[in-house]
Amino acid sequence: AAGAQAPDPLTAAVAAGLRQGRSVGEVARAVGLGARQLHRRSLAAFGYGPKTLARILRLQRALALVRTGTAYADAAYAVGCTDQAHLAREVRELTGTTLGGYLAGIGHGAEDARSGTAQPSGDGR
C-alpha cells in the first residue's frame, strides 16, 4: 500500500454523482472531463466504466429500499428504472440471479422472497 499511487481525486466526485443517480454525461461535465477521459479514469479506479458503476450503484439503492420493505416495483421506480421488469433485468445481469434469490442468498428477506410479501405492488410502476 505504501508504494501505491494516490487515488485520483476526481473518482470520489464521480462515484458521488453517480450514487446520487445523476447521468454519466452530467457527472462528466461536473468534474470537467470528456466522456473518453472519464471512461479511462473510471476503468483505472473502479475496474469498469462509469455506466457500469452507475448500474451497480442504482442496484445498491434499489436493494437498500427493498430491505426496508419497499415493494419491488416501487423501489424500481424510485431509483429510476422504467419499470419492475427493468430492475429485474438489471439484477439478473449484474448478479446472475433474481432479486428474491439474491436477497435470500445474502440472508435478508428470505422469508419475504419465498412468501411473496416483498413482491411488486401491482400498480405497474
Side-chain angles (χ1 to χ4, degrees), residues 71-78 81-86 119-125:
Y72 293 176
D74 293 334
Y77 180 76
C81 290
T82 54
D83 55 18
Q84 182 182 342
H86 180 193
Q119 293 300 312
S121 63
D123 62 3
R125 280 195 271 170

Side-chain angles (χ1 to χ4, degrees), residues 78-114:
V79 301
C81 290
T82 54
D83 55 18
Q84 182 182 342
H86 180 193
L87 176 60
R89 284 188 305 275
E90 288 281 291
V91 171
R92 171 126 1 237
E93 288 173 15
L94 293 171
T95 68
T97 188
T98 64
L99 182 54
Y102 180 81
L103 292 170
I106 62 170
H108 184 86
E111 300 81 25
D112 292 345
R114 282 192 300 270

Side-chain angles (χ1 to χ4, degrees), residues 1 12 20 26 29 33-34 42-43 45 47-49 64 68 71-72 86-87 97 99 112-113 119-120 122 124:
Q20 294 168 358
E26 252 185 300
R29 285 187 295 280
L33 295 175
S42 293
L43 284 174
Y48 34 76
T68 66
Y72 293 176
H86 180 193
L87 176 60
T97 188
L99 182 54
D112 292 345
Q119 293 300 312

